[in-house]
Amino acid sequence: MPAKAASTSSTSGKPTQKTPTTTEDPNIFNGIIKKIPLPQWALIAIAAAAGLLILLCIICIMVKCCCRKKKKGKSKDRINLLSVNGATTTSQVQPDMDDLDARVEGAQKGSLQYSLEYNFLREELIVSVKEARDLMAMDSSGTSDPYAIVYLTSDIKKKFETKHHRKTLNPVFNESFTFSLPKDSVSKTTAVIQLYDFNRFSKHDAIGELRLTLGDIDLQHVIEEWQKLSVCTKIEQEHLGDICFSLRYVPSTSTLTVVVLEAKNLKKMDSDGLSDPYVKVQLLLKKKNWKKKKTTVKKNTLSPYFNEAFNFEVSFEQIKNVDLVISVWDHDKVTKNEAIGKLFLGCKATGNQLHHWSDMLANPRRPMAQWHSLQPVEDVNHALGVKSRFKLPKP
């Protein structure tokens, strides 16, 4: 009996072992949240911020991946010029210059209306420049300042120029020029009409030309028609150089100021390929030498810089009959000084010289500067006898 009691007590003193379970308590997360010493709204805010941070990180990773793909694509498209042959490299970098010239020559130059009339009794040819249409734009503004040069191949020294028209591709000239042309020379002569774009401070650009072979034209009646312009033919002529000077006339003081600024690309006159240039400034009144001055001599140069001013007292009545002659000379200590080139301005002048002179008179008290090309001395001396065709404005 006592043994049974002991055994009974021993069995009753043992702790009971629980059988393990595979299911967790569904309220475990609620228990964890309750153990955190923060209010519920704070926990929700922290969770939202964490989610937003994760979303931003994902977006940044995606953007970086896209940028890498684009850079790889660009690097594949690049041309390795070192691995390409010379001819192909040139075609990739810039077009062939011959192709560019062909494109320019093939571009539309525009059209010109002209007329020809031959007087068999007087043996004179009258060339009239009427108007032009759809000229090629030569200026960056999309327009041109066109004027025409007219001459005959039988006497290329005798050239006429029309007035230049500002900022237009459809100029109306309506100017006529008369040439002495013997009957026996008609069939061998070509009338040339060239259109240029006027530039005050640089070389004038050729727009196009017409070449009319008189031997192929029936001159028994007046010819008037339109023709398309072609590329100007390059005729090699001796270039004497260019000179830049300014003119200023003040009527109230009767003062004409000529400032010789500079010259460039003068003809080589000395054996060493250079020259010793200086400039003569002369005023002719009624074809007689009236006043003259000259610059200093610049040694061993073909592009001298002078910047020397000369003042002449010329009344408004006298300026109607005065001719301003600018000539460039080569100084020589041993032999006689030689003339390089010459030009003249005044009411009897034509072309750019007349334009410069009229600009001076139309803008009193303002200096007007312009570049001019030197001409052969014989041509200028002959042209000084041309009758005036410019009407002087009233002061």
Side-chain angles (χ1 to χ4, degrees), residues 79-86 89:
I79 298 174
N80 185 7
L81 295 179
L82 296 176
S83 63
V84 187
N85 293 332
T89 305

Side-chain angles (χ1 to χ4, degrees), residues 249 256 284-287 290 314-324 345-349 357 360-361 387-395:
Y249 184 66
L256 172 64
L284 304 182
L285 184 60
K286 296 181 180 180
K287 299 182 182 181
W290 184 31
V314 183
S315 67
F316 188 79
E317 291 299 323
Q318 291 172 328
I319 210 167
K320 297 177 182 179
N321 302 306
V322 77
D323 294 310
L324 173 64
L345 300 91
C347 296
K348 294 190 291 292
W357 188 259
M360 177 198 70
L361 295 175
K387 293 182 179 179
S388 174
R389 62 184 185 90
F390 173 70
K391 295 181 179 179
L392 193 69
K394 294 181 179 180

Side-chain angles (χ1 to χ4, degrees), residues 214-233:
L214 301 183
D216 299 335
I217 300 175
D218 183 10
L219 296 176
Q220 296 294 332
H221 57 278
V222 178
I223 304 297
E224 183 173 331
E225 60 183 5
W226 285 89
Q227 278 196 26
K228 289 186 177 180
L229 296 169
S230 59
V231 179
C232 282
T233 305

Side-chain angles (χ1 to χ4, degrees), residues 32-40 42-43:
I32 293 173
I33 292 173
K34 288 179 180 179
K35 289 179 181 180
I36 297 174
L38 290 173
Q40 190 173 4
L43 295 175

